[in-house]
């Protein structure tokens, strides 16, 4: 019999884990003559009782496995570790807060088995219950990154998806340290079917994403999947060289012909600040890529496992 593995990252989720488990077991019951279930929880360095909850679950249900990290490594690392451990023929990644409805699993499996897709992914069509400002910036992020990156990043795409073992193997081959899953899932290619659904509120606990964390994450995405910012700094540099050459000619001639006295302090100071600012901005862009390269070439492990079962 074929097996479906659910990879579930958990960070301080002691309230939601039992609810999630109950919901998934119910759904698995309806699919039991098609696939066997396996759940791989990844405890991403929680500081609450999550690990104890997972130990108890694994004790009483042999379909439950868990990995526990030595500290918080982030959701990306947790997904990677979970996919590595998962043994199923079909592998799903889902959040533990039930914002990724398990009821979609049978439908997703059907799309892969009957209609030959390699991956069934979900995207939410509404951003209900989300702060207005956050939605605005999220939209803007998707617009920008899709302009400057060759990898398509779908607006509203969640990490919730069911994949074939083949696709997961390809993802596991991408061992980069700076992991931006939305890009990685799309970069590996394969045939993806999109299911749309309405945004859901989490069942318990609170979101782990502050606005600032999301902002840094979006920059991560841009620097990991596009080198256009580098090109922008070259173009700016070139444009400013050209402008300064023209100015040189113009003011040189003007001084020679008209014998203009020294003037124009405000213009001078403004242009110094402008050009200085642009230089710093471009150095900053360069620095971003350099820092990513630096972290990549240290070749540190993506996560460290303290305990697993
Ligand atoms: N998560 C994690 N490590 C982190 C942050 C989050 O494993 O450092 C998990 C979290 O437990 C949840 C999922 O990632 O299962 C999504 O997190 P959350 O619900 O806070 O994000 P949101 O749904 O608000 O985007
Ligand atoms: Mg959530």
């Amino acid at each position: 019999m074929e097996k479906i593995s659910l990879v579930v990252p958990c960070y301080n989720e002691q309230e939601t884990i039992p609810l999630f488990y109950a919901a998934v077991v119910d759904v698995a019951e309806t699919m039991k003559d098609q696939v066997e279930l396996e759940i791989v929880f990844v405890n991403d360095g929680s500081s609450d009782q999550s690990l104890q909850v997972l130990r108890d679950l694994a004790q009483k249900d042999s379909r439950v496995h868990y990995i526990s990290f030595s500290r918080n490594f982030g959701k990306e690392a947790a997904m990677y570790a979970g996919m590595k451990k998962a043994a199923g023929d079909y592998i799903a990644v889902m959040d533990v807060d039930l914002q990724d409805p398990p009821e979609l699993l049978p439908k997703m499996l059907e799309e892969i088995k009957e209609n030959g897709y390699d991956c069934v992914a979900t995207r939410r069509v509404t951003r209900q219950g989300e702060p207005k400002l956050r939605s605005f910036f999220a939209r803007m992020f998707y617009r920008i990154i899709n302009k400057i990156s060759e990898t398509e990043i779908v607006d509203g795409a969640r990490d919730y998806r069911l994949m074939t073992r083949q696709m997961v193997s390809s993802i596991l081959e991408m061992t980069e340290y700076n992991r931006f899953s939305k890009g990685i899932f799309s970069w590996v290619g394969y045939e993806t079917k999109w299911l749309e659904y309405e945004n859901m509120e989490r069942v318990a606990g609170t979101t782990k994403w502050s606005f600032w964390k999301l902002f840094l994450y979006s920059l991560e995405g841009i620097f990991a999947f596009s080198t256009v910012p580098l090109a922008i700094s070259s173009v700016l540099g070139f444009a400013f060289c050209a402008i300064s050459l023209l100015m040189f000619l113009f003011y040189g001639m003007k001084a020679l012909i008209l014998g203009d006295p020294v003037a124009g302090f405000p213009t001078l100071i403004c242009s110094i600040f402008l050009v200085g600012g642009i230089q710093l901005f471009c150095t900053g862009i360069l620095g971003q890529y350099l820092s990513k390269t630096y972290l990549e070439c240290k070749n540190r492990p993506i996560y460290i496992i303290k305990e697993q079962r």
Side-chain angles (χ1 to χ4, degrees), residues 64 71 84 88 92 116 121 132 155 158 162 169 236 238-239 257:
V64 175
R71 64 169 170 86
K84 217 164 188 175
K132 286 253 150 39
D155 185 2
R158 294 192 52 92
L162 183 68
S169 304
L236 275 180
F238 182 78
I257 298 166

Side-chain angles (χ1 to χ4, degrees), residues 9 11 13 44 72 75 95-97 99 202 207-209:
Y11 178 49
E13 301 278 6
D44 185 13
N72 179 256
K75 187 186 175 188
D95 289 0
V96 72
D97 56 13
Q99 278 183 314
R202 61 165 37 243
T207 176
K208 312 295 177 303
W209 292 93

Side-chain angles (χ1 to χ4, degrees), residues 248-269:
F248 194 65
L249 284 175
F250 177 73
Y251 286 108
M253 289 297 174
K254 203 169 153 199
L256 281 179
I257 298 166
L258 300 177
D260 226 10
V262 179
F265 176 74
T267 22
L268 197 64
I269 198 77

Side-chain angles (χ1 to χ4, degrees), residues 208-269:
K208 312 295 177 303
W209 292 93
S210 63
F211 185 80
W212 181 241
K213 261 175 116 177
L214 272 178
F215 177 70
L216 291 182
Y217 184 63
S218 67
L219 288 186
E220 183 100 345
I222 290 176
F223 291 120
F225 279 91
S226 170
T227 48
V228 168
L230 282 175
I232 291 176
S233 44
S234 322
V235 170
L236 275 180
F238 182 78
F240 272 81
C241 285
I243 291 171
S244 72
L245 206 71
L246 291 177
M247 278 164 71
F248 194 65
L249 284 175
F250 177 73
Y251 286 108
M253 289 297 174
K254 203 169 153 199
L256 281 179
I257 298 166
L258 300 177
D260 226 10
V262 179
F265 176 74
T267 22
L268 197 64
I269 198 77

Side-chain angles (χ1 to χ4, degrees), residues 139-176:
R139 292 238 161 74
M140 211 160 78
F141 164 70
Y142 285 111
R143 203 169 310 149
I144 292 176
I145 196 162
N146 281 315
K147 281 243 165 65
I148 65 177
S149 169
E150 274 161 28
T151 310
E152 195 199 357
I153 315 279
V154 177
D155 185 2
R158 294 192 52 92
D159 290 331
Y160 182 27
R161 54 180 66 220
L162 183 68
M163 293 164 282
T164 57
R165 160 120 321 256
Q166 188 188 21
M167 176 162 170
V168 170
S169 304
S170 306
I171 291 171
L172 291 178
E173 271 175 44
M174 298 178 74
T175 53
E176 61 216 66

